Amino acid sequence: MVVAMAKVPAAAVAASGLVGGYGVARWTKKRPLGGVALAAAGSLAAYEWNRQAGPRAAGALTVAYVAAFAGSHPLAKKLGAWPAVFTVAGGVAAASWAVTRRAR
């Protein structure tokens, strides 16, 4: 039996990981649980980036994903938590879209 999986753009996976990771941590009040969501989505996105654009692009986008997570913390002091998370998620999604689109 062959199971077909829907194609979800890596940009959407990465953005969802940043937003979802923060959401899970905030609503459950368990930061490690948010980290699990963040890491799971990041791993899936990295797999797709590697598949679509190669290992160099995947490495660069993974660094951008981690930097966005780290950068959202000081940005939250200026914008607020949710606006900061949405800002960095949008930035990672845009970078992902640009890199994977170019690779096609």
Side-chain angles (χ1 to χ4, degrees):
M1 174 204 266
V2 177
V3 177
M5 290 182 60
K7 281 192 154 192
V8 177
V13 173
S16 296
L18 289 161
V19 173
Y22 175 67
V24 167
R26 182 174 176 135
W27 289 313
T28 64
K29 299 192 184 339
K30 296 183 188 312
R31 292 179 72 170
L33 199 54
V36 169
L38 179 79
S43 296
L44 180 57
Y47 172 81
E48 283 301 314
W49 291 327
N50 184 53
R51 191 178 66 74
Q52 294 175 20
R56 287 181 64 158
L61 288 168
T62 300
V63 167
Y65 184 79
V66 173
F69 167 69
S72 69
H73 292 81
L75 189 59
K77 293 179 182 182
K78 296 181 191 275
L79 301 179
W82 280 112
V85 170
F86 286 126
T87 299
V88 299
V92 169
S96 175
W97 178 82
V99 169
T100 57
R101 177 177 160 84
R102 180 177 291 177
R104 288 183 205 158

